[in-house]
Amino acid sequence: MKFNYLILSWFDRNKRELPWRNTRNPFHIWLSEIILQQTRVDQGKNFYLNFIKEFDTVKDLALADEQKVLKLWQGLGYYSRARNLHYTAQFIDKELNGVFPDSFIELKKLKGIGDYTAAAIASIVYNEAVPAVDGNMFRVFSRYYNIENDISNSQTKKIFWELGLEIIDQKRPGDFNQAVMDLGATICTPKLPKCDICPLNESCEALRLNKVLALPVKTKKIKVTNRFLHFILIKDEDRIALSKREGNDVWKNLYTLPMLETISDLLDHEALIEQSLHLELSFISEEKHILSHQNLFIKYYTLQSQSENITRLRNITDFEWVKLNDIENIPLPKPIEKFINYHFFD
DNA sequence: TATCCGTGGTC
DNA sequence: TGACCAAGGAT
């Protein structure tokens, strides 16, 4: 097939040299695929190198504490990836006798591995001819074949899956999937695509119809909510108070300074907090931290007359004392990491 | 199934 | 500078 020949010969000449290329170690490929979910290569590369430096095998990862895994993941975001990675390593170690599943169907049963990741691992490591339907595949295929289905619609994924099953190279399925991803990341990009040097430019339908930038069609926009978070710095000699975040919310199982949340940005919300909780707070600084779907308006405070207020605070939000020297083992969200580094380590 | 889950880069 | 995007998955 023309598409396969063109993209594979382009891949053979232009593929990026990456740390997880030139290996078919399932643990390494799995780790790289989890790290790269919704994450650029430039951002994930060093995390991959740090992980394999720390964990050489699935068993090494399974035997580690979740906190250590989350600390290595600190700064990468989407922390459920790290929790599921750790959970699945323990599952493989205990329930599968350390044997990595070797088919798309079996891989998909693992926590944190969906259609895309199962196909990527199965094709790259085990030569199974299943298409890796990700954002790149949506873009490259929608443009090349002029597919106008809305990729925001979850039913659209099935159309691309079926098309991928037909097109995927039977002899080199792993290279085919990686070729589509490399082309999508470097040539067939969302903005400023390099159609003039694209190996597919003579047969690309979107280019012929002059609608490259109109594809893929994506209608849904994410809804962003505002949250107002108030973090309280409590220091006692060489220790500070930290709270482990629980429940299904952002930064689950990471640690922050003890926190209060208000539901609106009232002009006098500092005073409101102080009155309702009988805490005397001193403002330190503020910042806006943007998540994919939340704007976090963050303020930092210290407690006045600390000894009188700590007991009251403990009734509202639980916390534990952590020595500053032990912070290096505590997973922290980006804004808390920045705050602590600024005040204690820089 | 629509929504939730991070961070950094780009224009 | 705000909006969009980046090798998605769980619920």
Side-chain angles (χ1 to χ4, degrees):
Chain A
M1 186 175 295
K2 190 175 186 178
F3 180 94
N4 295 23
Y5 172 76
L6 290 173
I7 200 168
L8 281 171
S9 48
W10 172 83
F11 184 66
D12 290 336
R13 285 178 280 115
N14 298 285
K15 74 173 178 182
R16 294 174 289 179
E17 289 304 324
L18 302 170
W20 48 85
R21 292 262 163 93
N22 308 315
T23 177
R24 298 180 69 171
N25 179 322
F27 174 62
H28 290 175
I29 297 299
W30 172 44
L31 176 62
S32 72
E33 291 301 338
I34 301 299
I35 286 176
L36 270 75
Q37 288 170 3
Q38 298 291 285
T39 303
R40 285 184 173 79
V41 166
D42 286 343
Q43 192 187 359
K45 192 188 288 184
N46 284 338
F47 285 86
Y48 171 84
L49 295 173
N50 290 337
F51 259 82
I52 59 171
K53 191 186 303 175
E54 195 68 35
F55 307 117
D56 198 35
T57 65
V58 175
K59 192 171 191 63
D60 292 335
L61 179 56
L63 294 176
D65 293 332
E66 184 190 81
Q67 182 169 314
K68 183 171 185 178
V69 179
L70 284 172
K71 187 64 181 181
L72 275 169
W73 207 270
Q74 175 177 301
L76 194 52
Y78 283 155
Y79 297 97
S80 68
R81 293 183 292 173
R83 298 192 304 269
N84 289 335
L85 188 77
H86 183 237
Y87 175 92
T88 293
Q90 293 187 329
F91 180 83
I92 292 173
D93 183 46
K94 290 176 186 168
E95 306 298 328
L96 304 181
N97 299 316
V99 180
F100 214 90
D102 62 356
S103 68
F104 174 79
I105 289 293
E106 294 302 315
L107 285 162
K108 255 207 63 155
K109 295 177 181 173
L110 301 176
K111 203 164 199 174
I113 296 185
D115 290 325
Y116 161 76
T117 305
I121 298 172
S123 62
I124 293 170
V125 180
Y126 303 111
N127 239 27
E128 188 174 343
V130 279
V133 182
D134 71 332
N136 293 302
M137 197 272 198
F138 276 137
R139 193 164 55 253
V140 172
F141 274 61
S142 67
R143 286 173 175 172
Y144 188 81
Y145 292 106
N146 185 29
I147 301 170
E148 296 181 300
N149 300 67
D150 184 359
I151 65 169
S152 299
N153 184 337
S154 55
Q155 296 177 346
T156 298
K157 194 165 88 170
K158 187 175 181 182
I159 295 174
F160 283 80
W161 166 265
E162 299 290 347
L163 179 59
L165 272 181
E166 292 180 23
I167 306 295
I168 190 169
D169 196 88
Q170 299 295 316
K171 291 197 185 327
R172 304 174 59 187
D175 284 345
F176 178 91
N177 282 333
Q178 294 184 85
V180 173
M181 290 190 277
D182 264 25
L183 190 80
T186 62
I187 303 288
C188 194
T189 48
K191 301 168 185 172
L192 301 177
K194 302 177 175 64
C195 299
D196 53 330
I197 60 170
C198 178
L200 304 172
N201 60 12
E202 291 187 5
S203 45
C204 176
E205 274 299 286
L207 182 59
R208 184 177 73 81
L209 299 168
N210 192 26
K211 53 189 290 195
V212 172
L213 292 180
L215 295 173
V217 174
K218 184 178 180 183
T219 60
K220 198 169 299 176
K221 303 189 192 322
I222 59 171
K223 187 177 179 181
V224 177
T225 60
N226 294 330
R227 294 177 70 175
F228 307 93
L229 309 183
H230 311 267
F231 292 107
I232 305 173
L233 173 63
I234 310 170
K235 186 169 177 293
D236 176 46
E237 297 184 349
D238 63 338
R239 305 179 305 170
I240 63 171
L242 294 178
S243 300
K244 185 174 183 176
R245 291 184 59 82
E246 322 248 341
N248 291 319
D249 196 1
V250 295
W251 305 327
K252 181 178 179 181
N253 290 6
L254 278 67
Y255 288 75
T256 69
L257 305 181
M259 187 195 87
L260 305 169
E261 180 169 7
T262 52
I263 59 173
S264 66
D265 191 21
L266 297 175
L267 289 176
D268 60 343
H269 62 264
E270 288 100 328
L272 186 70
I273 290 170
E274 291 174 15
Q275 289 173 17
S276 62
L277 302 178
H278 306 288
L279 294 175
E280 295 171 354
L281 300 175
S282 297
F283 174 79
I284 300 177
S285 61
E286 66 186 323
E287 66 174 314
K288 181 180 177 184
H289 184 75
I290 299 174
L291 309 180
S292 56
H293 58 299
Q294 294 181 19
N295 293 325
L296 303 182
F297 296 89
I298 294 175
K299 294 193 177 186
Y300 297 97
Y301 310 81
T302 54
L303 283 179
Q304 298 174 2
S305 58
Q306 184 168 298
S307 57
E308 298 172 14
N309 284 311
I310 282 180
T311 309
R312 290 184 189 136
L313 185 64
R314 216 187 256 291
N315 290 332
I316 298 150
T317 174
D318 202 14
F319 61 85
E320 56 192 273
W321 292 106
V322 176
K323 288 186 179 177
L324 285 170
N325 285 338
D326 291 334
I327 293 281
E328 58 182 325
N329 299 316
I330 305 291
L332 306 170
K334 183 57 71 174
I336 303 300
E337 176 197 4
K338 282 191 299 185
F339 180 87
I340 289 180
N341 278 339
Y342 178 80
H343 284 274
F344 297 109
F345 296 111
D346 279 353

